[in-house]
């Protein structure tokens, strides 16, 4: 026996191709794919498939699949299985007219697909066999009875209930799946439905039996209590004619309890998803690979200022981007990683501009080809405005902080006009050294603040000592040497984001331990303090003082170079020398010889 030949009737090409691949993998042959009702009927007539898988909705024709199924099944006698994304009662009621052999709800499970196909093919063969038997003469009924054991063996392999009634409507054969009997064969055989079945089921049977006598086949669904469990069954009742005379009917009933439960869960899930999709305040969308909008929710429409879903549908998403370069960046990132998160500016329908946070992912089929994009947008315009206000506030507070630090540093210079600008120039050079050393911005900012305040302790030193042109006494010199500790005491209570008080305390320490006030060595001294120490010496030696003339930049650089590694940090000295080689100059050159 060759591979069963199957016709696919599906208007969505991607879905049809996926279905074709699944069927071929399952060992079936696909004779063709039709996308319209007329094409389906012509292909069925020409190819004569063993079975047709038909989508109920074909394009804009919501009943095209039903009409095609009716023609293919009733006229061409080809069994039909519906594949559909719709599971509402009205659709099923209309679909039943074509007497399908099964229903498959999208997305289709492979095992369920193969099982339904095998059952449909088997039932089709059984029906053809029964129709052939109907054409035999009256003695064929005796043959059927004599081969009852064979038929039972065949039917035992089926998962369907099979009943056969004679022309009077009495059961002459009954078979049920293993462990699914609700009455024994003995309790059925020779009885009428009225004697063994519930009234609601009897009514359905009798209505179908009337049609059977006219040569009609009927399908119906009913509920039955089987072994204490409520089961839902779908029945197909076909007439038996022998020698042109009505001899009874065959009823094949399938347990569709799980299918009904699945339909119910699917419907509930779809309702929840639809409710979420319609009411979530985030804009949701789905587009084709080239960006044409397939589906959007009301929030998406509202965010972009349109009046309805219909108005925005089929538009290209590229029209919403304010800048073409943002759309190009989106494409590049999507090609690289299939998922994109970005903040961009969109144009609304009225031309106004908004900021949105866009998240998109690519959805691919089994072959890796992009089927569509789906994503979301959130209006973050207000957040962006708040961010800008926050940045402006931070800039203002930073300026206020810097002005306050500068003012504090200037207080010292007011009391000592000879060293006016000293702290500012030390800061200028210390920052340049830090940058040359490659320090991170946070540490450079600490050096800037500490440099502007490193001599604030001199506020406690009498001004006449600060400006004294002659040699200081030992007591006066001790007062001068106390300014780092006084500065520390003044600054330690301020909650700086850097160790400013400690840097000020250590700026006169030396790497060999000869400095003051604590005689710290090497790594015991903060790097920031070691940098300010180098800048402090260079600026002090190159500037005028009340007790001496300026020594000049060359002498200052010679001093730090000669004491490199002894008094001054090697890396800070090297960076300082490079800074001057690159052309560094103090801003107030008139104070420097």
């Amino acid at each position: 026996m060759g591979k069963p030949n199957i016709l696919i009737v599906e208007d969505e090409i991607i879905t049809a191709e996926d279905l074709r691949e699944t069927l071929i993998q399952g060992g079936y042959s696909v004779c063709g794919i039709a996308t319209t009702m007329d094409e389906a009927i012509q292909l069925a007539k020409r190819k004569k498939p063993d079975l047709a898988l038909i989508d109920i909705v074909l394009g804009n024709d919501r009943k095209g699949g039903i009409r095609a199924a009716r023609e293919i099944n009733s006229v061409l006698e080809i069994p039909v299985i519906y594949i559909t994304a719709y599971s509402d009662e009205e659709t099923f009621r209309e679909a039943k007219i074509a007497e399908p052999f099964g229903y498959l709800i999208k997305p289709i499970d492979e095992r369920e697909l193969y099982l339904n196909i095998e059952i449909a093919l088997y039932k089709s063969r059984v029906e053809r066999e029964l129709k052939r038997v109907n054409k035999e003469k009256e003695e064929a009924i005796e043959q059927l009875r004599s081969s009852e054991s064979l038929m039972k063996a065949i039917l035992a392999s089926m998962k369907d209930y099979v009943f056969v009634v004679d022309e009077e409507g009495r059961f002459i054969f009954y078979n049920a799946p293993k462990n699914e009997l609700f009455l024994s064969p003995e309790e059925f055989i020779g009885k009428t439905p009225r004697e063994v079945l519930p009234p609601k089921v009897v009514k359905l049977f009798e209505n179908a039996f009337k049609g059977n006598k006219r040569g009609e086949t009927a399908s119906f669904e009913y509920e039955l209590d089987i072994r204490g469990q409520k089961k839902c069954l779908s029945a197909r009742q076909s007439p038996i004619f022998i020698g042109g005379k009505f001899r009874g009917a065959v009823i094949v009933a399938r347990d569709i309890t799980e299918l009904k439960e699945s339909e119910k869960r699917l419907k509930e899930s779809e309702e929840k998803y639809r409710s979420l999709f319609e009411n979530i305040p985030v804009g949701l969308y789905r587009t084709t690979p080239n960006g044409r909008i397939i589906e959007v929710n009301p929030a998406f429409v509202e965010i972009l200022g349109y009046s309805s879903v219909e108005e925005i549908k089929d538009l290209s998403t590229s029209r919403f981007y304010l800048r073409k370069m943002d759309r190009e960046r989106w494409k590049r990132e999507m090609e690289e990683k299939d998922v994109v998160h970005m903040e961009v500016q969109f144009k609304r329908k009225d031309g106004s501009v908004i900021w949105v946070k866009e998240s998109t992912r690519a959805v691919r089929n089994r072959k890796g080809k992009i089927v569509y994009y789906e994503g979301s947008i959130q209006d973050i315009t207000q957040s962006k405005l708040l961010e800008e206000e926050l940045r402006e506030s931070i800039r203002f507070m930073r300026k206020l902080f810097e002005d306050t630090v500068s003012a504090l540093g200037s207080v010292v210079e007011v009391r000592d006009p000879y060293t006016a600008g000293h702290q500012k120039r030390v800061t200028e050079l210390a920052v340049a050294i830090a940058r040359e050393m490659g320090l991170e911005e946070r540490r450079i900012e600490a050096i800037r603040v500490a440099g502007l305040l490193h001599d604030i302790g001199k506020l406690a030193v009498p001004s006449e000592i600060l400006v004294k042109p002659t040699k200081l006494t030992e007591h006066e010199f001790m007062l001068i040497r106390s300014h780092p500790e006084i500065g520390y005491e003044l600054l330690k209570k301020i909650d700086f984001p850097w160790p400013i008080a400690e840097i000020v305390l250590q700026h006169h320490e030396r790497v060999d331990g000869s400095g003051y006030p604590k005689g710290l060595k090497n790594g015991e001294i903060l790097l920031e303090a070691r940098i300010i120490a180098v800048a402090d010496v260079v600026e002090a030696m190159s500037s005028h003082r009340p007790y001496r003339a300026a020594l000049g930049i060359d002498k200052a650089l010679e001093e730090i170079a000669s004491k490199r590694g002894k008094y001054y940090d090697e890396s800070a000295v090297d960076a300082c020398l490079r800074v001057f080689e690159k052309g560094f100059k103090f801003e107030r050159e008139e104070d420097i010889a």
Side-chain angles (χ1 to χ4, degrees):
M1 183 182 293
K3 296 180 180 178
N5 210 12
I6 298 175
L7 170 65
I8 299 173
V9 183
E10 169 62 65
D11 62 323
E12 292 183 8
I13 298 302
I14 293 175
T15 302
E17 288 297 334
D18 283 347
L19 192 55
R20 182 210 294 266
E21 183 177 337
T22 302
L23 290 171
I24 291 172
Q25 289 176 352
Y28 302 97
S29 174
V30 178
C31 67
I33 296 175
T35 59
T36 65
M37 178 187 76
D38 293 336
E39 186 181 3
I41 294 171
Q42 292 303 315
L43 265 175
K45 288 180 178 178
R46 193 165 67 252
K47 300 288 186 178
K48 294 183 172 31
D50 299 304
L51 183 139
L53 297 174
I54 301 178
D55 191 353
I56 291 178
V57 178
L58 298 176
N60 295 324
D61 189 350
R62 292 183 62 84
K63 299 181 181 179
I66 296 174
R67 290 197 295 274
R70 189 182 306 164
E71 181 78 9
I72 290 171
N73 188 13
S74 61
V75 177
L76 302 178
E77 296 185 345
I78 296 170
V80 167
I81 294 177
Y82 282 126
I83 51 173
T84 180
Y86 295 85
S87 59
D88 56 278
E89 291 297 326
E90 182 179 354
T91 301
F92 275 111
R93 188 164 52 253
E94 294 181 6
K96 289 176 188 175
I97 298 173
E99 299 177 355
F101 279 70
Y103 298 87
L104 290 173
I105 306 298
K106 297 178 183 177
I108 301 171
D109 178 79
E110 287 184 6
R111 292 176 60 190
E112 187 178 357
L113 173 64
Y114 296 153
L115 178 61
N116 274 267
I117 289 174
E118 287 303 311
I119 291 173
L121 291 173
Y122 182 80
K123 288 176 64 177
S124 176
R125 289 194 295 271
V126 170
E127 284 193 3
R128 285 197 296 271
E129 178 66 15
L130 289 174
K131 286 182 180 180
R132 187 188 67 77
V133 170
N134 287 341
K135 295 177 182 179
E136 297 293 334
K137 295 185 177 182
E138 187 172 356
E139 47 267 24
I141 196 74
E142 293 301 322
Q143 278 186 333
L144 182 62
R145 284 173 179 161
S146 66
S147 62
E148 184 176 344
S149 60
L150 175 62
M151 182 62 73
K152 282 182 178 180
I154 295 172
L155 295 175
S157 65
M158 297 177 59
K159 292 186 178 181
D160 292 338
Y161 297 86
V162 180
F163 307 87
V164 179
V165 295
D166 61 17
E167 61 270 27
E168 295 179 357
R170 294 185 178 277
F171 291 106
I172 59 173
F173 179 83
Y174 165 50
N175 182 78
K178 189 176 182 180
N179 299 323
E180 293 292 332
L181 292 171
F182 62 99
L183 289 176
S184 66
E186 292 73 19
E187 292 176 289
F188 258 94
I189 303 304
K191 303 287 182 65
T192 65
R194 286 180 176 271
E195 295 176 283
V196 293
L197 295 175
K200 288 184 178 179
V201 181
V202 171
K203 185 175 181 181
L204 293 170
F205 166 79
E206 290 179 344
N207 288 336
F209 197 65
K210 290 177 182 177
N212 293 154
K213 292 179 178 179
R214 298 191 296 270
E216 299 170 358
T217 297
S219 297
F220 53 89
E221 293 181 2
Y222 61 95
E223 290 184 350
L224 205 59
D225 193 318
I226 300 177
R227 299 174 66 86
Q229 291 186 336
K230 196 172 186 180
K231 298 281 188 178
C232 184
L233 296 103
S234 174
R236 181 180 176 86
Q237 188 166 314
S238 304
I240 298 174
F241 281 89
I242 299 175
K245 188 175 180 182
F246 179 69
R247 292 298 184 182
V250 175
I251 305 100
V252 179
R254 173 178 298 176
D255 184 351
I256 58 170
T257 307
E258 290 186 7
L259 175 62
K260 286 293 184 181
E261 287 296 324
S262 297
E263 290 174 359
K264 182 181 178 182
R265 289 193 296 269
L266 178 62
K267 185 176 181 181
E268 290 173 351
S269 177
E270 288 178 345
E271 288 174 352
K272 288 178 181 177
Y273 168 77
R274 179 53 58 182
S275 176
L276 179 65
F277 184 80
E278 295 291 341
N279 297 300
I280 192 171
V282 176
L284 303 177
Y285 66 87
R286 181 177 292 174
T287 74
T288 62
N290 63 6
R292 181 178 60 80
I293 292 176
I294 301 172
E295 186 176 19
V296 296
N297 70 340
F300 187 95
V301 175
E302 182 179 352
I303 288 171
L304 292 176
Y306 288 81
S307 57
S308 67
V309 172
E310 289 70 26
E311 185 182 9
I312 208 169
K313 201 171 182 182
D314 292 329
L315 295 180
S316 173
T317 51
S318 60
R319 71 182 292 150
F320 303 132
Y321 288 82
L322 179 65
R323 300 186 304 174
K324 185 178 179 181
M325 60 184 292
D326 287 333
R327 179 62 177 177
E328 295 303 318
R329 177 163 66 92
W330 180 92
K331 289 180 180 178
R332 287 196 305 272
E333 292 188 16
M334 187 59 73
E335 289 172 0
E336 293 172 2
K337 51 191 177 183
D338 272 4
V339 177
V340 173
H341 304 286
M342 56 192 299
E343 293 183 357
V344 292
Q345 287 180 293
F346 269 23
K347 292 183 295 185
R348 302 178 85 240
K349 180 184 178 182
D350 61 6
S352 59
V353 177
I354 58 172
W355 277 96
V356 300
K357 182 177 182 180
E358 183 179 20
S359 298
T360 315
R361 78 178 184 98
V363 178
R364 299 178 180 270
N365 62 15
R366 294 177 181 175
K367 296 179 180 179
K369 183 179 179 181
I370 294 176
V371 182
Y372 57 83
Y373 294 117
E374 62 183 14
S376 65
I377 60 170
Q378 291 177 270
D379 187 346
I380 58 170
T381 307
Q382 192 62 34
S383 297
K384 284 289 185 180
L385 292 174
L386 291 174
E387 283 178 16
E388 183 57 36
E389 290 178 6
L390 179 59
R391 280 193 292 269
E392 186 61 36
S393 177
I394 291 172
R395 284 194 290 268
F396 173 76
M397 294 302 294
R398 184 184 182 85
K399 181 68 167 56
L400 181 62
F401 171 75
E402 291 176 351
D403 290 347
T404 301
V405 170
S406 180
L408 284 172
S410 299
V411 172
V412 179
E413 297 176 354
V414 170
R415 302 180 72 249
D416 183 6
Y418 289 100
T419 59
H422 167 69
Q423 292 186 116
K424 181 179 179 183
R425 291 193 294 277
V426 169
T427 301
E428 184 183 347
L429 177 55
V431 167
I433 293 171
R435 290 197 188 284
E436 181 67 23
M437 292 172 68
L439 266 63
E440 61 185 31
E441 198 61 37
R442 178 178 175 81
R443 300 186 76 176
I444 293 174
E445 190 62 23
I447 290 171
R448 186 193 311 279
V449 174
L452 291 171
L453 298 174
H454 75 275
D455 279 343
I456 195 170
K458 289 182 178 179
L459 286 171
V461 179
S463 58
E464 57 268 21
I465 296 176
L466 295 175
V467 298
K468 186 177 180 179
T470 59
K471 185 178 179 180
L472 299 175
T473 67
E474 184 178 348
H475 174 70
E476 289 170 339
F477 188 62
M478 291 301 294
L479 284 175
I480 289 290
R481 284 170 62 100
S482 68
H483 79 273
E485 292 175 291
I486 296 170
Y488 173 78
E489 293 298 325
L490 290 172
L491 298 173
K492 71 179 183 179
K493 295 179 182 179
I494 301 176
D495 188 19
F496 289 105
W498 319 278
I500 300 301
E502 287 77 9
I503 297 171
V504 169
L505 178 64
Q506 297 174 9
H507 79 277
H508 275 293
E509 300 286 359
R510 297 294 180 256
V511 294
D512 65 352
S514 62
Y516 62 88
K518 294 185 177 182
L520 301 177
K521 293 182 180 181
N522 295 320
E524 296 175 336
I525 308 168
L526 293 173
L527 177 59
E528 292 86 347
R530 283 178 269 156
I531 292 172
I532 290 177
V534 171
D536 192 24
V537 169
V538 172
E539 198 287 327
M541 289 183 66
S542 61
S543 300
H544 291 288
R545 288 293 181 267
Y547 48 86
R548 64 156 171 80
L551 300 176
I553 290 294
D554 291 340
K555 284 288 185 182
L557 297 180
E558 184 181 327
E559 163 67 15
I560 63 171
S562 66
K563 301 296 191 302
R564 174 183 179 273
K566 182 179 181 183
Y567 289 172
Y568 312 114
D569 181 83
E570 293 179 351
S571 59
V573 170
D574 293 342
C576 182
L577 295 175
R578 290 197 302 273
V579 162
F580 277 98
E581 286 174 2
K582 293 178 180 179
F584 176 85
K585 290 182 180 180
F586 288 112
E587 288 187 3
R588 294 181 60 184
E589 294 293 341
E590 66 273 18
D591 292 337
I592 304 171

